[in-house]
Amino acid sequence: MTALHEYERLECTGLWRDGPEGQRREVIVSFGDATLVIAETKSGRALTHWSLPAIVRLAGSSLPARFAPAPDADEELEIDDEAMVAAIAKVHRLIEARRPHPGRLRSILLGAGLAAVLGALVFWMPGALVRHTAASLPFNKRQEIGRMALADLTRLTGIPCAAAEGQEALARLHGRLLGPETGGEIFVVPEGVDRSVALPGGIVVLSRSLVEAPDTPEVAAGEVLAADLGVAEADPLVALLGNAGLRATLTLLTTGDLPQRAVAGFGEVALQQPAPALPDKALLDRFASAGVRSSPYAWSRDPSGESVLPLIEADPFRDRTPERPVLDDTDWVALQGICGG
């Protein structure tokens, strides 16, 4: 049924004519099953039935309202009853809502596609731009940005320890573990760092406690190796640029320069960011290739040994001595005193 149940008994009077030259007659207008019934006022005899879906309202929105059974029909009906006019309009709205709208699905799909594109621009593009920028920078620029990050970090850790003999020992430790051709530097800071922090440009920052408390340089060496390995899992330059923001990243990408203010506050991020979880196999391979025992590092990480058992039991030098010591005794003593002179 097209007509609504609430209008099944709705009636009113109206003026109807059967053609342009016909005389207007007073009629009774009522809702039928799917039609508007126009009947004589005295006899009640139906004069015509108009299909509700086909009825059109002629020009004008004021009362009395004029209707026709079709756009090109000769008949015309004039109604001044507001309830009947509203009922016809409501039926038309219901019919329009139920009618298929081929373009509506296209619009919905287009809107969804645009929303997806905008979502990609908002959520994916900044991260992609940061990763692209980080991957495209040469090492010397990464090292320059790493130095800027170190300067910001020293607000929280203090100036890196700088005893001359200790710095020479650090340089030899870096060459021993990472190779002189790789670039980068190792720094020891007096406070604020629990273990180690990796910064862009191959810069590794070590806690003072790592060189003063252990009996062997292998603990500090293990932290350097783990920090260097972790860079492959979580590039610190990506974290720095993500903190700096899209505008600073675009400036770096287009001009090759990163303003110092863009690095402000990264020290807190670097200290609070947890170190990436490294697979035991990758760590053991790294220790083996560097010629460093893994068990001293493991015991320093967890004195109970429970969480680092593979690094202890599978120590590549558990039953043999590395070909070269991490540092000789003189350098080790110098490194232990780097913050005291």
Side-chain angles (χ1 to χ4, degrees):
M1 294 176 59
T2 302
L4 302 177
H5 293 295
E6 62 191 283
Y7 299 133
E8 286 179 351
R9 298 183 181 276
L10 183 62
E11 290 185 349
C12 73
T13 59
L15 295 176
W16 170 79
R17 63 183 180 184
D18 59 3
E21 305 301 328
Q23 185 176 357
R24 295 195 298 174
R25 302 168 55 182
E26 187 176 54
V27 294
I28 299 295
V29 182
S30 60
F31 268 82
D33 200 13
T35 61
L36 197 68
V37 181
I38 300 173
E40 291 182 337
T41 54
K42 293 182 179 180
S43 66
R45 181 177 63 89
L47 297 172
T48 184
H49 293 75
W50 287 6
S51 171
L52 281 170
I55 292 176
V56 294
R57 184 169 181 175
L58 302 178
S61 58
S62 60
L63 294 178
R66 295 166 50 236
F67 296 95
D72 55 352
D74 293 330
E75 293 180 74
E76 184 178 306
L77 176 65
E78 190 175 287
I79 302 173
D80 61 4
D81 186 280
E82 294 183 2
M84 179 63 77
V85 173
I88 294 172
K90 185 171 183 178
V91 169
H92 277 188
R93 288 195 298 271
L94 179 62
I95 293 170
E96 180 64 23
R98 292 176 176 175
R99 182 176 297 154
H101 296 84
R104 183 175 298 174
L105 178 59
R106 187 182 302 110
S107 299
I108 292 173
L109 292 175
L110 179 60
L114 289 175
V117 171
L118 289 175
L121 290 176
V122 171
F123 297 106
W124 173 82
M125 184 179 175
L129 182 64
V130 163
R131 291 190 296 272
H132 170 73
T133 303
S136 63
L137 290 183
F139 182 79
N140 61 341
K141 177 57 68 173
R142 295 174 69 94
Q143 194 167 36
E144 176 186 322
I145 295 173
R147 283 279 189 168
M148 295 165 61
L150 178 64
D152 186 74
L153 185 69
T154 57
R155 295 181 299 106
L156 308 170
T157 64
I159 301 299
C161 301
E165 292 182 351
Q167 287 185 310
E168 293 175 2
L170 272 183
R172 279 190 279 273
L173 178 66
H174 184 278
R176 165 70 175 80
L177 298 175
L178 306 177
E181 72 283 351
T182 61
E185 297 172 275
I186 303 173
F187 294 91
V188 176
V189 291
E191 58 186 6
V193 176
D194 291 334
R195 306 290 301 189
S196 63
V197 175
L199 298 177
I203 294 176
V204 178
V205 180
L206 297 179
S207 166
R208 175 179 185 173
S209 63
L210 292 173
V211 299
E212 290 185 344
D215 296 327
T216 169
E218 290 168 312
V219 174
E223 288 290 338
V224 172
L225 292 174
D228 184 64
L229 183 61
V231 169
E233 299 292 328
D235 188 347
L237 183 56
V238 171
L240 186 149
L241 293 179
N243 184 72
L246 188 59
R247 184 173 182 178
T249 301
L250 283 170
T251 300
L252 175 62
L253 184 63
T254 55
T255 68
D257 292 318
L258 186 68
Q260 178 67 49
R261 64 179 180 275
V263 183
F266 180 66
E268 287 85 353
V269 174
L271 291 178
Q272 294 171 7
Q273 190 167 2
L278 301 174
D280 292 333
K281 176 67 165 56
L283 274 171
L284 289 168
D285 289 345
R286 193 75 172 84
F287 277 88
S289 63
V292 178
R293 293 190 301 153
S294 60
S295 50
Y297 163 80
W299 284 116
S300 75
R301 280 282 178 174
D302 182 1
S304 72
E306 293 180 3
S307 65
V308 291
L309 195 59
L311 297 180
I312 296 172
E313 293 184 341
D315 187 336
F317 300 98
R318 183 178 182 180
D319 300 320
R320 59 193 177 100
T321 302
E323 294 182 2
R324 290 191 300 156
V326 172
L327 289 175
D328 62 30
D329 292 341
T330 301
D331 282 334
W332 175 228
V333 171
L335 183 56
Q336 288 185 300
I338 191 172
C339 295

